[in-house]
Amino acid sequence: MDKQNTQMNASHPETNLPAGYPPQYPPTAFQGPSGYNGYPGPQVGYPPPPAGHSGPGPAGFPVPNQPVYNQPGGAAGIPWMPAPPPPLNCPPGLEYLSQIDQILIHQQIELLEVLTGFETNNKYEIKNSFGQRVYFAAEDTDCCTRNCCGPSRPFTLRIIDNMGREVITLERPLRCNSCCCPCCLQEIEIQAPPGVPVGYVIQTWHPCLPKFTIQNEKREDVLKISGPCVVCSCCGDVDFEIKSLDEQCVVGKISKHWTGILKEAFTDADNFGIQFPLDLDVKMKAVMMGACFLIDFMFFESTGSQEQKSGVW
């Protein structure tokens, strides 16, 4: 018996264990070629990692590679969120929202706008809490409208998924931008798919606070949004609470995140976070995204060198 153990250890010198002890790890002779995205190579007798697997994702979750197809803009190498099975009666493309209770919206910095002050179309990356890209949003307005109307401009915002399909369209009409005129306040329409309204965000007149009402496709009130009296992102986040209709229960919030003194002073690129219940209807989650973009244009589209709105305006 001792003779057999001695021969076994001699045949695998890298184990360096006394005779009679089995090796703790598989010796290199039993491992396949290494270098598969950081994984050790497949061992003899075991199948290789499944095709399309790109290694461990955030918090140890595997991140399958998504089809490239016509991937929209954004930083290269950022993984797309895997498409979950669509729930019943879910508009196409909104199935991603059924799996998340938080959305991060990062506006891209436009170099031309920073250097010249010439207003360009806004672009946004929409991610989940793991940093995986869920959607990409791009403003679609003409040059004259952007530079003549400024943050008050009407716009069409197109949101596309990882397949390059337009799954959500936001339409903001031209409205009055003063609290002294409560008859023609701000609003935005959310369509999913494009051409099919799923909800609206309507500004509610108030002399001191920014308030909004979230409505469904039948224009029935569903939720309320209430912001702080002073809407100024100075070294801190600004929270807009999402409340029940009686405003007694907070069910979520839209937060404008502080991005640093340089970025706040010289660009209008903002970062937002949206929190909502996981089991909320995906249509209402899409409407909350529309509310976030409306709040961005109303209160945070100007750079630090320009006048920033405080209070309601």
Side-chain angles (χ1 to χ4, degrees), residues 260-279:
I261 184 64
L262 292 179
K263 190 173 181 181
E264 295 283 348
F266 297 104
T267 75
D268 60 0
D270 301 311
N271 292 345
F272 287 86
I274 309 176
Q275 298 178 15
F276 38 64
L278 181 62
D279 58 353

Side-chain angles (χ1 to χ4, degrees), residues 215-229:
Q215 300 178 337
N216 60 17
E217 66 273 15
K218 299 178 181 179
R219 287 194 175 270
E220 299 170 340
D221 294 352
V222 178
L223 294 167
K224 298 283 188 178
I225 299 177
S226 179
C229 180

